[in-house]
PDB file of all heavy atoms in Angstrom:
ATOM      1  N   PRO A 221       9.213   3.532   5.308  1.00  0.00           N
ATOM      2  CA  PRO A 221       9.357   2.104   4.996  1.00  0.00           C
ATOM      3  C   PRO A 221       8.019   1.379   4.882  1.00  0.00           C
ATOM      4  O   PRO A 221       7.016   1.775   5.495  1.00  0.00           O
ATOM      5  CB  PRO A 221      10.177   1.573   6.173  1.00  0.00           C
ATOM      6  CG  PRO A 221      10.899   2.767   6.702  1.00  0.00           C
ATOM      7  CD  PRO A 221       9.974   3.916   6.497  1.00  0.00           C
ATOM      8  N   PHE A 222       8.026   0.317   4.096  1.00  0.00           N
ATOM      9  CA  PHE A 222       6.823  -0.494   3.883  1.00  0.00           C
ATOM     10  C   PHE A 222       6.238  -0.949   5.220  1.00  0.00           C
ATOM     11  O   PHE A 222       5.030  -1.167   5.342  1.00  0.00           O
ATOM     12  CB  PHE A 222       7.180  -1.687   2.997  1.00  0.00           C
ATOM     13  CG  PHE A 222       5.998  -2.479   2.511  1.00  0.00           C
ATOM     14  CD1 PHE A 222       4.819  -1.864   2.126  1.00  0.00           C
ATOM     15  CD2 PHE A 222       6.082  -3.868   2.418  1.00  0.00           C
ATOM     16  CE1 PHE A 222       3.736  -2.603   1.664  1.00  0.00           C
ATOM     17  CE2 PHE A 222       5.014  -4.613   1.957  1.00  0.00           C
ATOM     18  CZ  PHE A 222       3.833  -3.980   1.582  1.00  0.00           C
ATOM     19  N   ALA A 223       7.092  -1.058   6.221  1.00  0.00           N
ATOM     20  CA  ALA A 223       6.620  -1.446   7.557  1.00  0.00           C
ATOM     21  C   ALA A 223       5.577  -0.470   8.087  1.00  0.00           C
ATOM     22  O   ALA A 223       4.708  -0.850   8.887  1.00  0.00           O
ATOM     23  CB  ALA A 223       7.800  -1.536   8.525  1.00  0.00           C
ATOM     24  N   GLN A 224       5.641   0.778   7.673  1.00  0.00           N
ATOM     25  CA  GLN A 224       4.641   1.767   8.093  1.00  0.00           C
ATOM     26  C   GLN A 224       3.251   1.367   7.588  1.00  0.00           C
ATOM     27  O   GLN A 224       2.267   1.384   8.348  1.00  0.00           O
ATOM     28  CB  GLN A 224       5.008   3.160   7.558  1.00  0.00           C
ATOM     29  CG  GLN A 224       6.230   3.796   8.210  1.00  0.00           C
ATOM     30  CD  GLN A 224       5.885   4.485   9.527  1.00  0.00           C
ATOM     31  OE1 GLN A 224       4.724   4.567   9.925  1.00  0.00           O
ATOM     32  NE2 GLN A 224       6.906   4.995  10.205  1.00  0.00           N
ATOM     33  N   ALA A 225       3.159   1.044   6.311  1.00  0.00           N
ATOM     34  CA  ALA A 225       1.861   0.656   5.744  1.00  0.00           C
ATOM     35  C   ALA A 225       1.368  -0.650   6.350  1.00  0.00           C
ATOM     36  O   ALA A 225       0.166  -0.806   6.632  1.00  0.00           O
ATOM     37  CB  ALA A 225       1.976   0.535   4.224  1.00  0.00           C
ATOM     38  N   LYS A 226       2.290  -1.614   6.536  1.00  0.00           N
ATOM     39  CA  LYS A 226       1.878  -2.892   7.116  1.00  0.00           C
ATOM     40  C   LYS A 226       1.389  -2.712   8.547  1.00  0.00           C
ATOM     41  O   LYS A 226       0.443  -3.386   8.981  1.00  0.00           O
ATOM     42  CB  LYS A 226       3.039  -3.890   7.044  1.00  0.00           C
ATOM     43  CG  LYS A 226       3.367  -4.331   5.627  1.00  0.00           C
ATOM     44  CD  LYS A 226       4.314  -5.519   5.573  1.00  0.00           C
ATOM     45  CE  LYS A 226       5.706  -5.143   5.997  1.00  0.00           C
ATOM     46  NZ  LYS A 226       6.661  -6.269   5.826  1.00  0.00           N
ATOM     47  N   ALA A 227       2.011  -1.785   9.287  1.00  0.00           N
ATOM     48  CA  ALA A 227       1.559  -1.521  10.660  1.00  0.00           C
ATOM     49  C   ALA A 227       0.168  -0.901  10.665  1.00  0.00           C
ATOM     50  O   ALA A 227      -0.672  -1.234  11.510  1.00  0.00           O
ATOM     51  CB  ALA A 227       2.553  -0.598  11.369  1.00  0.00           C
ATOM     52  N   MET A 228      -0.092   0.005   9.691  1.00  0.00           N
ATOM     53  CA  MET A 228      -1.423   0.628   9.608  1.00  0.00           C
ATOM     54  C   MET A 228      -2.462  -0.410   9.220  1.00  0.00           C
ATOM     55  O   MET A 228      -3.579  -0.428   9.751  1.00  0.00           O
ATOM     56  CB  MET A 228      -1.393   1.772   8.597  1.00  0.00           C
ATOM     57  CG  MET A 228      -2.633   2.651   8.604  1.00  0.00           C
ATOM     58  SD  MET A 228      -2.773   3.655  10.093  1.00  0.00           S
ATOM     59  CE  MET A 228      -4.365   3.136  10.730  1.00  0.00           C
ATOM     60  N   ARG A 229      -2.089  -1.277   8.296  1.00  0.00           N
ATOM     61  CA  ARG A 229      -3.011  -2.339   7.888  1.00  0.00           C
ATOM     62  C   ARG A 229      -3.337  -3.256   9.062  1.00  0.00           C
ATOM     63  O   ARG A 229      -4.510  -3.613   9.275  1.00  0.00           O
ATOM     64  CB  ARG A 229      -2.396  -3.152   6.740  1.00  0.00           C
ATOM     65  CG  ARG A 229      -3.275  -4.298   6.248  1.00  0.00           C
ATOM     66  CD  ARG A 229      -2.667  -5.003   5.041  1.00  0.00           C
ATOM     67  NE  ARG A 229      -1.377  -5.616   5.336  1.00  0.00           N
ATOM     68  CZ  ARG A 229      -0.658  -6.308   4.451  1.00  0.00           C
ATOM     69  NH1 ARG A 229      -1.104  -6.431   3.207  1.00  0.00           N
ATOM     70  NH2 ARG A 229       0.495  -6.836   4.790  1.00  0.00           N
ATOM     71  N   ALA A 230      -2.325  -3.623   9.839  1.00  0.00           N
ATOM     72  CA  ALA A 230      -2.553  -4.490  10.987  1.00  0.00           C
ATOM     73  C   ALA A 230      -3.448  -3.811  12.019  1.00  0.00           C
ATOM     74  O   ALA A 230      -4.317  -4.464  12.637  1.00  0.00           O
ATOM     75  CB  ALA A 230      -1.211  -4.874  11.619  1.00  0.00           C
ATOM     76  N   ALA A 231      -3.261  -2.503  12.201  1.00  0.00           N
ATOM     77  CA  ALA A 231      -4.090  -1.772  13.161  1.00  0.00           C
ATOM     78  C   ALA A 231      -5.543  -1.721  12.707  1.00  0.00           C
ATOM     79  O   ALA A 231      -6.469  -1.856  13.525  1.00  0.00           O
ATOM     80  CB  ALA A 231      -3.538  -0.358  13.339  1.00  0.00           C
ATOM     81  N   LEU A 232      -5.750  -1.525  11.402  1.00  0.00           N
ATOM     82  CA  LEU A 232      -7.125  -1.516  10.875  1.00  0.00           C
ATOM     83  C   LEU A 232      -7.761  -2.894  11.008  1.00  0.00           C
ATOM     84  O   LEU A 232      -8.952  -3.020  11.344  1.00  0.00           O
ATOM     85  CB  LEU A 232      -7.121  -1.060   9.411  1.00  0.00           C
ATOM     86  CG  LEU A 232      -6.758   0.411   9.170  1.00  0.00           C
ATOM     87  CD1 LEU A 232      -6.536   0.660   7.681  1.00  0.00           C
ATOM     88  CD2 LEU A 232      -7.847   1.345   9.704  1.00  0.00           C
ATOM     89  N   ASP A 233      -6.965  -3.941  10.744  1.00  0.00           N
ATOM     90  CA  ASP A 233      -7.481  -5.306  10.909  1.00  0.00           C
ATOM     91  C   ASP A 233      -7.889  -5.548  12.362  1.00  0.00           C
ATOM     92  O   ASP A 233      -8.965  -6.104  12.639  1.00  0.00           O
ATOM     93  CB  ASP A 233      -6.410  -6.325  10.502  1.00  0.00           C
ATOM     94  CG  ASP A 233      -6.285  -6.478   8.991  1.00  0.00           C
ATOM     95  OD1 ASP A 233      -7.274  -6.193   8.281  1.00  0.00           O
ATOM     96  OD2 ASP A 233      -5.196  -6.868   8.530  1.00  0.00           O
ATOM     97  N   ALA A 234      -7.026  -5.145  13.293  1.00  0.00           N
ATOM     98  CA  ALA A 234      -7.307  -5.372  14.716  1.00  0.00           C
ATOM     99  C   ALA A 234      -8.549  -4.617  15.176  1.00  0.00           C
ATOM    100  O   ALA A 234      -9.273  -5.078  16.071  1.00  0.00           O
ATOM    101  CB  ALA A 234      -6.095  -4.957  15.555  1.00  0.00           C
ATOM    102  N   ALA A 235      -8.802  -3.452  14.539  1.00  0.00           N
ATOM    103  CA  ALA A 235      -9.977  -2.645  14.905  1.00  0.00           C
ATOM    104  C   ALA A 235     -11.200  -3.017  14.073  1.00  0.00           C
ATOM    105  O   ALA A 235     -12.253  -2.393  14.217  1.00  0.00           O
ATOM    106  CB  ALA A 235      -9.658  -1.166  14.727  1.00  0.00           C
ATOM    107  N   HIS A 236     -11.034  -4.031  13.199  1.00  0.00           N
ATOM    108  CA  HIS A 236     -12.133  -4.497  12.333  1.00  0.00           C
ATOM    109  C   HIS A 236     -12.669  -3.365  11.456  1.00  0.00           C
ATOM    110  O   HIS A 236     -13.874  -3.198  11.284  1.00  0.00           O
ATOM    111  CB  HIS A 236     -13.264  -5.114  13.170  1.00  0.00           C
ATOM    112  CG  HIS A 236     -12.807  -6.191  14.100  1.00  0.00           C
ATOM    113  ND1 HIS A 236     -12.356  -7.425  13.653  1.00  0.00           N
ATOM    114  CD2 HIS A 236     -12.682  -6.220  15.463  1.00  0.00           C
ATOM    115  CE1 HIS A 236     -11.997  -8.168  14.685  1.00  0.00           C
ATOM    116  NE2 HIS A 236     -12.182  -7.462  15.797  1.00  0.00           N
ATOM    117  N   LYS A 237     -11.720  -2.617  10.866  1.00  0.00           N
ATOM    118  CA  LYS A 237     -12.068  -1.520   9.972  1.00  0.00           C
ATOM    119  C   LYS A 237     -11.794  -1.938   8.523  1.00  0.00           C
ATOM    120  O   LYS A 237     -10.723  -2.479   8.224  1.00  0.00           O
ATOM    121  CB  LYS A 237     -11.248  -0.266  10.297  1.00  0.00           C
ATOM    122  CG  LYS A 237     -11.427   0.231  11.736  1.00  0.00           C
ATOM    123  CD  LYS A 237     -12.829   0.789  11.962  1.00  0.00           C
ATOM    124  CE  LYS A 237     -12.965   1.358  13.362  1.00  0.00           C
ATOM    125  NZ  LYS A 237     -14.304   1.940  13.603  1.00  0.00           N
ATOM    126  N   PRO A 238     -12.728  -1.672   7.619  1.00  0.00           N
ATOM    127  CA  PRO A 238     -12.514  -2.053   6.210  1.00  0.00           C
ATOM    128  C   PRO A 238     -11.507  -1.119   5.537  1.00  0.00           C
ATOM    129  O   PRO A 238     -11.380   0.052   5.897  1.00  0.00           O
ATOM    130  CB  PRO A 238     -13.901  -1.888   5.597  1.00  0.00           C
ATOM    131  CG  PRO A 238     -14.560  -0.842   6.436  1.00  0.00           C
ATOM    132  CD  PRO A 238     -14.044  -1.037   7.829  1.00  0.00           C
ATOM    133  N   TYR A 239     -10.798  -1.628   4.548  1.00  0.00           N
ATOM    134  CA  TYR A 239      -9.849  -0.806   3.804  1.00  0.00           C
ATOM    135  C   TYR A 239      -9.569  -1.466   2.460  1.00  0.00           C
ATOM    136  O   TYR A 239      -9.826  -2.657   2.261  1.00  0.00           O
ATOM    137  CB  TYR A 239      -8.536  -0.634   4.578  1.00  0.00           C
ATOM    138  CG  TYR A 239      -7.839  -1.940   4.898  1.00  0.00           C
ATOM    139  CD1 TYR A 239      -6.955  -2.531   3.994  1.00  0.00           C
ATOM    140  CD2 TYR A 239      -8.086  -2.605   6.102  1.00  0.00           C
ATOM    141  CE1 TYR A 239      -6.328  -3.733   4.282  1.00  0.00           C
ATOM    142  CE2 TYR A 239      -7.471  -3.804   6.403  1.00  0.00           C
ATOM    143  CZ  TYR A 239      -6.590  -4.365   5.492  1.00  0.00           C
ATOM    144  OH  TYR A 239      -5.978  -5.564   5.776  1.00  0.00           O
ATOM    145  N   GLU A 240      -9.041  -0.680   1.541  1.00  0.00           N
ATOM    146  CA  GLU A 240      -8.519  -1.193   0.279  1.00  0.00           C
ATOM    147  C   GLU A 240      -7.008  -1.041   0.304  1.00  0.00           C
ATOM    148  O   GLU A 240      -6.465  -0.192   1.022  1.00  0.00           O
ATOM    149  CB  GLU A 240      -9.142  -0.444  -0.907  1.00  0.00           C
ATOM    150  CG  GLU A 240     -10.650  -0.652  -1.009  1.00  0.00           C
ATOM    151  CD  GLU A 240     -11.270  -0.003  -2.232  1.00  0.00           C
ATOM    152  OE1 GLU A 240     -10.537   0.198  -3.236  1.00  0.00           O
ATOM    153  OE2 GLU A 240     -12.476   0.314  -2.198  1.00  0.00           O
ATOM    154  N   TRP A 241      -6.336  -1.846  -0.501  1.00  0.00           N
ATOM    155  CA  TRP A 241      -4.882  -1.962  -0.379  1.00  0.00           C
ATOM    156  C   TRP A 241      -4.239  -2.046  -1.758  1.00  0.00           C
ATOM    157  O   TRP A 241      -4.739  -2.712  -2.655  1.00  0.00           O
ATOM    158  CB  TRP A 241      -4.565  -3.223   0.426  1.00  0.00           C
ATOM    159  CG  TRP A 241      -3.110  -3.566   0.575  1.00  0.00           C
ATOM    160  CD1 TRP A 241      -2.379  -4.418  -0.201  1.00  0.00           C
ATOM    161  CD2 TRP A 241      -2.214  -3.065   1.571  1.00  0.00           C
ATOM    162  NE1 TRP A 241      -1.087  -4.487   0.254  1.00  0.00           N
ATOM    163  CE2 TRP A 241      -0.954  -3.665   1.340  1.00  0.00           C
ATOM    164  CE3 TRP A 241      -2.349  -2.171   2.636  1.00  0.00           C
ATOM    165  CZ2 TRP A 241       0.162  -3.408   2.132  1.00  0.00           C
ATOM    166  CZ3 TRP A 241      -1.237  -1.903   3.426  1.00  0.00           C
ATOM    167  CH2 TRP A 241       0.005  -2.524   3.176  1.00  0.00           C
ATOM    168  N   MET A 242      -3.109  -1.343  -1.916  1.00  0.00           N
ATOM    169  CA  MET A 242      -2.308  -1.447  -3.139  1.00  0.00           C
ATOM    170  C   MET A 242      -0.847  -1.283  -2.767  1.00  0.00           C
ATOM    171  O   MET A 242      -0.449  -0.249  -2.224  1.00  0.00           O
ATOM    172  CB  MET A 242      -2.712  -0.369  -4.153  1.00  0.00           C
ATOM    173  CG  MET A 242      -1.898  -0.397  -5.442  1.00  0.00           C
ATOM    174  SD  MET A 242      -2.346   0.975  -6.560  1.00  0.00           S
ATOM    175  CE  MET A 242      -1.215   0.656  -7.925  1.00  0.00           C
ATOM    176  N   SER A 243      -0.037  -2.290  -3.015  1.00  0.00           N
ATOM    177  CA  SER A 243       1.406  -2.178  -2.800  1.00  0.00           C
ATOM    178  C   SER A 243       2.120  -2.733  -4.020  1.00  0.00           C
ATOM    179  O   SER A 243       1.599  -3.617  -4.710  1.00  0.00           O
ATOM    180  CB  SER A 243       1.847  -2.933  -1.539  1.00  0.00           C
ATOM    181  OG  SER A 243       1.708  -4.331  -1.714  1.00  0.00           O
ATOM    182  N   LYS A 244       3.313  -2.187  -4.295  1.00  0.00           N
ATOM    183  CA  LYS A 244       4.053  -2.590  -5.483  1.00  0.00           C
ATOM    184  C   LYS A 244       5.519  -2.835  -5.139  1.00  0.00           C
ATOM    185  O   LYS A 244       6.190  -1.972  -4.562  1.00  0.00           O
ATOM    186  CB  LYS A 244       3.971  -1.507  -6.558  1.00  0.00           C
ATOM    187  CG  LYS A 244       2.572  -1.325  -7.144  1.00  0.00           C
ATOM    188  CD  LYS A 244       2.132  -2.547  -7.942  1.00  0.00           C
ATOM    189  CE  LYS A 244       0.744  -2.381  -8.521  1.00  0.00           C
ATOM    190  NZ  LYS A 244       0.314  -3.570  -9.287  1.00  0.00           N
ATOM    191  N   PRO A 245       6.045  -4.021  -5.499  1.00  0.00           N
ATOM    192  CA  PRO A 245       7.474  -4.270  -5.296  1.00  0.00           C
ATOM    193  C   PRO A 245       8.298  -3.397  -6.242  1.00  0.00           C
ATOM    194  O   PRO A 245       7.843  -3.023  -7.328  1.00  0.00           O
ATOM    195  CB  PRO A 245       7.608  -5.759  -5.648  1.00  0.00           C
ATOM    196  CG  PRO A 245       6.457  -6.046  -6.574  1.00  0.00           C
ATOM    197  CD  PRO A 245       5.346  -5.161  -6.115  1.00  0.00           C
ATOM    198  N   GLY A 246       9.510  -3.065  -5.806  1.00  0.00           N
ATOM    199  CA  GLY A 246      10.396  -2.281  -6.656  1.00  0.00           C
ATOM    200  C   GLY A 246      10.123  -0.789  -6.653  1.00  0.00           C
ATOM    201  O   GLY A 246      10.870  -0.030  -7.276  1.00  0.00           O
ATOM    202  N   GLU A 247       9.067  -0.364  -5.954  1.00  0.00           N
ATOM    203  CA  GLU A 247       8.746   1.062  -5.893  1.00  0.00           C
ATOM    204  C   GLU A 247       9.201   1.638  -4.557  1.00  0.00           C
ATOM    205  O   GLU A 247       9.097   0.986  -3.524  1.00  0.00           O
ATOM    206  CB  GLU A 247       7.243   1.295  -6.066  1.00  0.00           C
ATOM    207  CG  GLU A 247       6.698   0.930  -7.439  1.00  0.00           C
ATOM    208  CD  GLU A 247       7.049   1.954  -8.510  1.00  0.00           C
ATOM    209  OE1 GLU A 247       7.919   2.828  -8.263  1.00  0.00           O
ATOM    210  OE2 GLU A 247       6.468   1.888  -9.603  1.00  0.00           O
ATOM    211  N   GLY A 248       9.696   2.891  -4.600  1.00  0.00           N
ATOM    212  CA  GLY A 248      10.189   3.550  -3.407  1.00  0.00           C
ATOM    213  C   GLY A 248       9.182   4.531  -2.842  1.00  0.00           C
ATOM    214  O   GLY A 248       7.978   4.237  -2.756  1.00  0.00           O
ATOM    215  N   HIS A 249       9.663   5.722  -2.480  1.00  0.00           N
ATOM    216  CA  HIS A 249       8.806   6.737  -1.848  1.00  0.00           C
ATOM    217  C   HIS A 249       8.033   7.474  -2.946  1.00  0.00           C
ATOM    218  O   HIS A 249       8.358   8.597  -3.316  1.00  0.00           O
ATOM    219  CB  HIS A 249       9.657   7.692  -1.032  1.00  0.00           C
ATOM    220  CG  HIS A 249       8.867   8.497  -0.039  1.00  0.00           C
ATOM    221  ND1 HIS A 249       7.973   7.928   0.843  1.00  0.00           N
ATOM    222  CD2 HIS A 249       8.836   9.832   0.228  1.00  0.00           C
ATOM    223  CE1 HIS A 249       7.434   8.861   1.597  1.00  0.00           C
ATOM    224  NE2 HIS A 249       7.934  10.031   1.237  1.00  0.00           N
ATOM    225  N   GLY A 250       7.008   6.818  -3.450  1.00  0.00           N
ATOM    226  CA  GLY A 250       6.254   7.285  -4.608  1.00  0.00           C
ATOM    227  C   GLY A 250       6.594   6.427  -5.810  1.00  0.00           C
ATOM    228  O   GLY A 250       7.753   6.041  -6.008  1.00  0.00           O
ATOM    229  N   PHE A 251       5.601   6.106  -6.624  1.00  0.00           N
ATOM    230  CA  PHE A 251       5.796   5.189  -7.753  1.00  0.00           C
ATOM    231  C   PHE A 251       6.485   5.891  -8.928  1.00  0.00           C
ATOM    232  O   PHE A 251       6.152   7.026  -9.273  1.00  0.00           O
ATOM    233  CB  PHE A 251       4.453   4.639  -8.231  1.00  0.00           C
ATOM    234  CG  PHE A 251       3.749   3.745  -7.229  1.00  0.00           C
ATOM    235  CD1 PHE A 251       2.473   3.263  -7.501  1.00  0.00           C
ATOM    236  CD2 PHE A 251       4.342   3.386  -6.031  1.00  0.00           C
ATOM    237  CE1 PHE A 251       1.811   2.450  -6.604  1.00  0.00           C
ATOM    238  CE2 PHE A 251       3.690   2.565  -5.116  1.00  0.00           C
ATOM    239  CZ  PHE A 251       2.414   2.093  -5.409  1.00  0.00           C
ATOM    240  N   TYR A 252       7.415   5.174  -9.575  1.00  0.00           N
ATOM    241  CA  TYR A 252       8.044   5.652 -10.810  1.00  0.00           C
ATOM    242  C   TYR A 252       7.418   5.017 -12.048  1.00  0.00           C
ATOM    243  O   TYR A 252       7.267   5.655 -13.078  1.00  0.00           O
ATOM    244  CB  TYR A 252       9.538   5.328 -10.804  1.00  0.00           C
ATOM    245  CG  TYR A 252      10.395   6.410 -10.205  1.00  0.00           C
ATOM    246  CD1 TYR A 252      11.140   6.181  -9.061  1.00  0.00           C
ATOM    247  CD2 TYR A 252      10.465   7.676 -10.797  1.00  0.00           C
ATOM    248  CE1 TYR A 252      11.932   7.169  -8.501  1.00  0.00           C
ATOM    249  CE2 TYR A 252      11.251   8.673 -10.244  1.00  0.00           C
ATOM    250  CZ  TYR A 252      11.983   8.406  -9.099  1.00  0.00           C
ATOM    251  OH  TYR A 252      12.758   9.393  -8.552  1.00  0.00           O
ATOM    252  N   SER A 253       7.067   3.752 -11.957  1.00  0.00           N
ATOM    253  CA  SER A 253       6.553   3.021 -13.111  1.00  0.00           C
ATOM    254  C   SER A 253       5.274   3.666 -13.637  1.00  0.00           C
ATOM    255  O   SER A 253       4.324   3.893 -12.882  1.00  0.00           O
ATOM    256  CB  SER A 253       6.272   1.567 -12.729  1.00  0.00           C
ATOM    257  OG  SER A 253       5.394   0.951 -13.647  1.00  0.00           O
ATOM    258  N   GLU A 254       5.247   3.972 -14.928  1.00  0.00           N
ATOM    259  CA  GLU A 254       4.041   4.539 -15.527  1.00  0.00           C
ATOM    260  C   GLU A 254       2.872   3.562 -15.387  1.00  0.00           C
ATOM    261  O   GLU A 254       1.739   3.966 -15.108  1.00  0.00           O
ATOM    262  CB  GLU A 254       4.282   4.887 -16.992  1.00  0.00           C
ATOM    263  CG  GLU A 254       5.202   6.087 -17.178  1.00  0.00           C
ATOM    264  CD  GLU A 254       5.327   6.531 -18.619  1.00  0.00           C
ATOM    265  OE1 GLU A 254       4.530   6.056 -19.463  1.00  0.00           O
ATOM    266  OE2 GLU A 254       6.210   7.354 -18.926  1.00  0.00           O
ATOM    267  N   GLU A 255       3.147   2.289 -15.563  1.00  0.00           N
ATOM    268  CA  GLU A 255       2.100   1.271 -15.442  1.00  0.00           C
ATOM    269  C   GLU A 255       1.493   1.282 -14.040  1.00  0.00           C
ATOM    270  O   GLU A 255       0.270   1.242 -13.868  1.00  0.00           O
ATOM    271  CB  GLU A 255       2.677  -0.109 -15.766  1.00  0.00           C
ATOM    272  CG  GLU A 255       1.669  -1.247 -15.672  1.00  0.00           C
ATOM    273  CD  GLU A 255       2.297  -2.599 -15.951  1.00  0.00           C
ATOM    274  OE1 GLU A 255       3.484  -2.636 -16.338  1.00  0.00           O
ATOM    275  OE2 GLU A 255       1.594  -3.623 -15.780  1.00  0.00           O
ATOM    276  N   ASN A 256       2.357   1.352 -13.022  1.00  0.00           N
ATOM    277  CA  ASN A 256       1.853   1.375 -11.645  1.00  0.00           C
ATOM    278  C   ASN A 256       1.100   2.663 -11.341  1.00  0.00           C
ATOM    279  O   ASN A 256       0.111   2.659 -10.595  1.00  0.00           O
ATOM    280  CB  ASN A 256       3.011   1.203 -10.665  1.00  0.00           C
ATOM    281  CG  ASN A 256       3.571  -0.206 -10.669  1.00  0.00           C
ATOM    282  OD1 ASN A 256       2.904  -1.142 -11.103  1.00  0.00           O
ATOM    283  ND2 ASN A 256       4.799  -0.360 -10.209  1.00  0.00           N
ATOM    284  N   ASN A 257       1.554   3.771 -11.899  1.00  0.00           N
ATOM    285  CA  ASN A 257       0.868   5.036 -11.662  1.00  0.00           C
ATOM    286  C   ASN A 257      -0.479   5.107 -12.365  1.00  0.00           C
ATOM    287  O   ASN A 257      -1.420   5.709 -11.857  1.00  0.00           O
ATOM    288  CB  ASN A 257       1.761   6.212 -12.075  1.00  0.00           C
ATOM    289  CG  ASN A 257       2.747   6.594 -10.989  1.00  0.00           C
ATOM    290  OD1 ASN A 257       2.377   6.713  -9.821  1.00  0.00           O
ATOM    291  ND2 ASN A 257       4.007   6.776 -11.358  1.00  0.00           N
ATOM    292  N   ILE A 258      -0.566   4.489 -13.525  1.00  0.00           N
ATOM    293  CA  ILE A 258      -1.869   4.404 -14.202  1.00  0.00           C
ATOM    294  C   ILE A 258      -2.848   3.616 -13.334  1.00  0.00           C
ATOM    295  O   ILE A 258      -3.999   4.023 -13.127  1.00  0.00           O
ATOM    296  CB  ILE A 258      -1.705   3.752 -15.591  1.00  0.00           C
ATOM    297  CG1 ILE A 258      -0.969   4.701 -16.540  1.00  0.00           C
ATOM    298  CG2 ILE A 258      -3.073   3.375 -16.176  1.00  0.00           C
ATOM    299  CD1 ILE A 258      -0.537   4.057 -17.836  1.00  0.00           C
ATOM    300  N   GLU A 259      -2.373   2.493 -12.801  1.00  0.00           N
ATOM    301  CA  GLU A 259      -3.228   1.694 -11.920  1.00  0.00           C
ATOM    302  C   GLU A 259      -3.594   2.478 -10.660  1.00  0.00           C
ATOM    303  O   GLU A 259      -4.751   2.441 -10.196  1.00  0.00           O
ATOM    304  CB  GLU A 259      -2.511   0.397 -11.548  1.00  0.00           C
ATOM    305  CG  GLU A 259      -3.342  -0.520 -10.663  1.00  0.00           C
ATOM    306  CD  GLU A 259      -2.600  -1.782 -10.244  1.00  0.00           C
ATOM    307  OE1 GLU A 259      -1.515  -2.057 -10.804  1.00  0.00           O
ATOM    308  OE2 GLU A 259      -3.106  -2.495  -9.332  1.00  0.00           O
TER     309      GLU A 259
END
């Protein structure tokens, strides 16, 4: 679940660790949209 990624992001924020982020609405366990996969 998306909650997994949000929990990891919150943990990195709390530890003051830099990160990059990409999330997409409508996508499940791996992206289907060709546009999203290109990105």
Side-chain angles (χ1 to χ4, degrees):
F222 190 39
Q224 290 277 356
K226 291 192 289 185
M228 190 70 238
R229 179 176 62 179
L232 291 169
D233 282 335
H236 307 291
K237 302 291 184 179
Y239 59 87
E240 296 184 25
W241 176 265
M242 179 184 179
S243 68
K244 292 293 180 180
E247 294 284 13
H249 197 50
F251 294 175
Y252 270 117
S253 161
E254 289 186 12
E255 180 182 353
N256 288 340
N257 277 314
I258 290 169
E259 182 183 349

